[in-house]
Amino acid sequence: MNNPTSSLVLLFFLLIFTCICEITAKVDKADSKLYIVYLGHKPHDDHELITDSHHDILGQVAGSKEEAKKVMVYSYRHGFSGFAAKLTDSQAKQIGELPGVIRVIQNPLYKTHTSRSWDFLGLSKSDPNNINLLNKTNQGDGVIIGVLDSGIWGDSEAFNDNGLGPIPSRWKASCKSEGNFNATKHCNRKIIGTRWYIKGLMEEKRLNQTMVEKIYNLSPLDDTGHGTHVAYTAAGSYVNNVEYYGLNMGTVRGGAPLARLAIYKVCWKDNVTESHCGGADILAGIDDAIKDGVDILSVSLGGGGGPNFAEVNVESLLGIGSFHAVSHGIPVVAAGGNSGPDSNTIGNTSPWVINVAASNSDREIVTPLILGNNKTILGQGLFKGNEQAFAPLITFANITSHDQIQFIANEVKGKVLMLFFQKEEDMVISLSKLRATGVLAFIVVTRPLAQITDYNQTVFRVPIPFISVDLEQGNQIFDYFAQCESNNQDPTIKLGRPEVREGNKIVLQVPRFSSRGPNSFAPEILKVNI
């Protein structure tokens, strides 16, 4: 006969063992991270079979095929073979030792890095000889451009489908309503496909589904504007007689105005100014783009600065994904980065990627600064309104950062303030701090090449006229200060009406923020950049 006491003891130990197992499982799950298991070229075109093989491989470390399905986040099976899964460090090491596994990479985060530009580059529809690339390619008619970025605002005249024929029959995807993205408003014969990906970013930031649904609108709709800007730069439609704060900017368009757009939203707003993109999501977007039938990929993404390794380095997911896109005949255009002006900051340097740096064009918006001695200096910037009357001009030699703005708040009301700042963030933050002071305008003296920035974008969120001048122009204004002091006069200034200048008078330059070479991984490798 069974001993009741022995049975109770056995049951007690079984319960303890079960609890220990459950606790251990929870600890393992809590310690898991998102890894990408890269397997190289896909072995065949049976996509379901490829995913099944991924479950088999993952099951060897996850415990079973069913458990593998639970922890797998993405199966890459169209352009290449691999998968993203939640693994502990020890599981990642184990799976990296299995036959056929080329590399196991922890999920990295990436960041998101005009009307005249294309004419400036020689791509003008009105070329009298009709021999430039824009005309030779029929303005991109029939080409499908895939954009991996922060989504798109489709309900804009900038993406009208005037003059476009039917969607190419070879296109395999669709543009559909999801969340706050309305296909009726945002999709047409220009924007022909949309997808979004966030699982990789969720895992990296440890966000659960409920939190994500509260924070983000889960749809292809752009929540930062970066993706819309990139898409329009590539393939924006013709829009005539565009006005920008009262200035006539003429006709605007993208580089290939008759091309179609396929949108892959892989980046999501992290704060007011920045987006982040999960590496696993980027790979998923590239994999789908290959399957969908895009002809070219635009990927204006990169790391967060510091030494950037070449994309031939096995740790680069963007390098791996772009390699497989190019091997399928899909050119990839990527940003060089915004981590300048230091050397060794260039990103996306793989030989198979077309790398693009930043520069100005032969057009700029200027505001005349008319000093009290009738000398006029053309500052860069734009303000809303007409020409202002003369007002007192002041400066403070001891103000070197935005932290000190509070000490002069009572002295700038009704006046035009000019300061020199070494750091760009001091310029922008100072705008917000000056908002409640009653200052009439803010002039900033900048270092060379620092003026091509997003300052004006900030200006329109802070209703203070903001003009930047370079060091030479700044010295001319300081000379005026000295003359007034020697003549016992008060310096004055007025802001003239902003105007657009074009052509040979514009100095061409690369801005400070643009990343520089050489490639820190292999500096001896030269690569043509645009």
Side-chain angles (χ1 to χ4, degrees):
M1 181 178 292
N2 293 330
N3 188 325
T5 303
S6 299
S7 299
L8 285 173
V9 171
L10 178 61
L11 179 60
F12 174 74
F13 278 109
L14 284 172
L15 288 172
I16 291 178
F17 178 75
T18 302
C19 289
I20 291 174
C21 289
E22 288 181 354
I23 292 171
T24 303
K26 289 180 180 178
V27 170
D28 284 344
K29 187 173 182 179
D31 289 341
S32 66
K33 307 181 187 74
L34 188 62
Y35 284 89
I36 289 81
V37 180
Y38 176 55
L39 305 172
H41 290 289
K42 62 177 183 177
H44 46 72
D45 292 328
D46 190 330
H47 302 144
E48 296 302 323
L49 192 59
I50 292 175
T51 297
D52 191 62
S53 69
H54 294 164
H55 292 149
D56 287 334
I57 294 171
L58 183 55
Q60 296 182 55
V61 300
S64 69
K65 197 169 183 176
E66 290 305 312
E67 190 61 29
K69 293 178 180 179
K70 295 179 183 178
V71 298
M72 185 176 290
V73 176
Y74 290 116
S75 174
Y76 309 120
R77 56 188 187 169
H78 303 292
F80 50 94
S81 181
F83 56 87
K86 293 177 283 187
L87 303 169
T88 63
D89 291 340
S90 60
Q91 287 176 324
K93 183 178 180 180
Q94 291 176 46
I95 205 167
E97 296 170 350
L98 295 178
V101 175
I102 297 176
R103 190 72 178 178
V104 179
I105 307 167
Q106 187 173 339
N107 180 46
L109 288 182
Y110 290 80
K111 294 181 180 180
T112 53
H113 283 316
T114 97
S115 64
R116 178 79 180 177
S117 297
W118 297 109
D119 292 336
F120 164 63
L121 293 173
L123 296 176
S124 174
K125 183 183 178 183
S126 59
D127 183 353
N129 298 316
N130 199 38
I131 58 174
N132 68 41
L133 188 59
L134 183 66
N135 291 318
K136 284 183 177 179
T137 58
N138 197 21
Q139 305 179 67
D141 191 18
V143 175
I144 301 171
I145 302 176
V147 180
L148 273 77
D149 213 287
S150 63
I152 196 165
W153 299 326
D155 56 341
S156 167
E157 183 63 19
F159 299 106
N160 71 73
D161 58 2
N162 298 336
L164 293 178
I167 295 172
S169 58
R170 57 190 171 81
W171 179 241
K172 300 181 180 68
S174 63
C175 192
K176 58 185 180 181
S177 296
E178 294 181 275
N180 60 346
F181 186 88
N182 187 329
T184 303
K185 293 171 56 179
H186 300 111
C187 305
N188 53 17
R189 290 171 297 173
K190 165 66 73 172
I191 301 174
I192 64 174
T194 53
R195 296 181 185 271
W196 58 271
Y197 312 80
I198 199 173
K199 293 178 183 178
L201 191 63
M202 284 175 60
E203 293 301 325
E204 188 63 32
K205 292 181 170 292
R206 298 296 193 266
L207 300 174
N208 60 45
Q209 188 68 33
T210 302
M211 291 173 63
V212 166
E213 289 175 354
K214 288 182 179 180
I215 296 172
Y216 301 113
N217 288 311
L218 297 181
S219 82
L221 197 66
D222 193 356
D223 53 8
T224 70
H226 189 274
T228 302
H229 164 71
V230 170
Y232 187 77
T233 301
S237 304
Y238 285 98
V239 183
N240 299 318
N241 301 316
V242 172
E243 283 199 2
Y244 184 62
Y245 289 94
L247 296 176
N248 187 352
M249 306 300 291
T251 298
V252 300
R253 64 174 175 85
L258 299 186
R260 316 304 176 101
L261 286 166
I263 306 302
Y264 300 85
K265 181 175 180 177
V266 296
C267 304
W268 303 79
K269 182 168 66 175
D270 191 39
N271 54 44
V272 174
T273 60
E274 208 166 46
S275 293
H276 278 104
C277 333
D281 299 327
I282 293 171
L283 275 187
I286 294 175
D287 193 41
D288 280 339
I290 294 171
K291 174 194 68 173
D292 294 342
V294 304
D295 298 304
I296 186 170
L297 277 173
S298 172
V299 189
S300 190
L301 312 174
N308 291 304
F309 295 104
E311 273 60 40
V312 292
N313 184 278
V314 290
E315 299 294 340
S316 172
L317 291 184
L318 187 52
I320 290 171
S322 61
F323 174 81
H324 284 284
V326 173
S327 70
H328 282 78
I330 303 172
V332 178
V333 182
N338 299 331
S339 301
D342 294 335
S343 60
N344 299 109
T345 52
I346 191 73
N348 300 320
T349 54
S350 58
W352 52 85
V353 169
I354 300 171
N355 206 22
V356 183
S359 78
N360 65 335
S361 71
D362 61 344
R363 167 189 277 175
E364 63 183 10
I365 299 173
V366 299
T367 292
L369 303 175
I370 303 143
L371 303 177
N373 60 3
N374 289 324
K375 183 179 182 62
T376 298
I377 294 172
L378 296 177
Q380 281 197 347
L382 170 65
F383 72 93
K384 295 174 285 187
N386 298 317
E387 180 176 293
Q388 295 184 352
F390 276 99
L393 173 65
I394 59 172
T395 188
F396 296 88
N398 60 336
I399 302 298
T400 57
S401 78
H402 65 84
D403 294 324
Q404 298 165 294
I405 292 294
Q406 58 182 321
F407 300 118
I408 62 172
N410 295 328
E411 302 178 54
V412 300
K413 185 175 181 180
K415 301 174 183 178
V416 176
L417 170 66
M418 186 176 80
L419 294 176
F420 172 75
F421 283 138
Q422 289 280 356
K423 298 179 181 179
E424 295 176 6
E425 57 265 30
D426 283 325
M427 307 177 200
V428 177
I429 296 174
S430 294
L431 279 168
S432 297
K433 291 191 173 184
L434 288 167
R435 181 174 186 171
T437 65
V439 66
L440 286 183
F442 183 33
I443 301 174
V444 173
V445 185
T446 68
R447 296 170 294 178
L449 309 184
Q451 293 173 281
I452 315 169
T453 64
D454 294 329
Y455 301 156
N456 281 319
Q457 183 179 351
T458 304
V459 171
F460 301 131
R461 293 198 296 267
V462 182
I464 301 171
F466 171 54
I467 312 298
S468 64
V469 296
D470 61 27
L471 289 173
E472 182 180 348
Q473 294 171 313
N475 284 330
Q476 294 178 44
I477 300 176
F478 282 122
D479 287 343
Y480 169 63
F481 270 110
Q483 292 172 12
C484 289
E485 185 175 321
S486 62
N487 296 326
N488 199 27
Q489 295 176 339
D490 294 326
T492 59
I493 192 172
K494 73 173 179 178
L495 275 60
R497 183 173 175 79
E499 59 188 62
V500 178
R501 293 167 60 89
E502 297 176 350
N504 296 329
K505 295 181 180 179
I506 309 304
V507 177
L508 303 180
Q509 54 187 348
V510 174
R512 285 182 56 82
F513 66 77
S514 187
S515 295
R516 267 67 165 175
N519 174 352
S520 57
F521 181 74
E524 69 279 5
I525 298 178
L526 299 179
K527 179 175 181 291
V528 176
N529 297 314
I530 298 176

